[in-house]
Amino acid sequence: MSGPIQNRRVLSGMRPTGQLHLGNYHGALKNWIELQYQYECFFFIADWHALTTGYEDTSKLEEYVWTMAIDWLAAGLIPASPRCSFNRRCRSMRNCICCCR
């Protein structure tokens, strides 16, 4: 393989299991903010992954998803930039099943 690698991308996500804390900021979000200026970035809210620990009570999941998206914006992620986007994994069981087939 010769020459530099072109079109480098970053793919990462967070589980919406509650309010973000300093560990989330220093462990991931702070890095994502810098990376969005250097690479093509895709960040996702892994709502289905949140169910691996909080499946017995999902009543707050929707609130946690929205709160996380707002926190990402407040921290400095810019989803409207041509190099950065963030998405929610699945909005319903049916969508997830269709995506996984």
Side-chain angles (χ1 to χ4, degrees), residues 2-3 10-11 14 17 19 37 52 85 96 101:
S2 63
V10 174
L11 172 66
M14 281 188 194
T17 55
Q19 291 184 337
Y37 298 107
T52 60
S85 67
C96 285
R101 288 185 180 197

Side-chain angles (χ1 to χ4, degrees), residues 2-22:
S2 63
I5 298 173
Q6 299 296 321
N7 299 326
R8 297 178 79 176
R9 294 183 179 101
V10 174
L11 172 66
S12 190
M14 281 188 194
R15 293 181 334 143
T17 55
Q19 291 184 337
L20 294 184
H21 48 75
L22 287 175

Side-chain angles (χ1 to χ4, degrees), residues 31-73:
N31 295 320
W32 291 3
I33 294 164
E34 294 300 318
L35 290 170
Q36 73 181 336
Y37 298 107
Q38 301 168 22
Y39 303 101
E40 183 179 13
C41 296
F42 300 92
F43 302 119
F44 61 90
I45 298 173
D47 50 352
W48 262 57
H49 294 275
L51 299 176
T52 60
T53 54
Y55 56 86
E56 64 278 344
D57 180 17
T58 61
S59 63
K60 297 264 187 191
L61 183 59
E62 189 72 23
E63 176 186 339
Y64 293 158
V65 167
W66 283 107
T67 302
M68 178 172 281
I70 291 166
D71 288 342
W72 288 6
L73 291 170

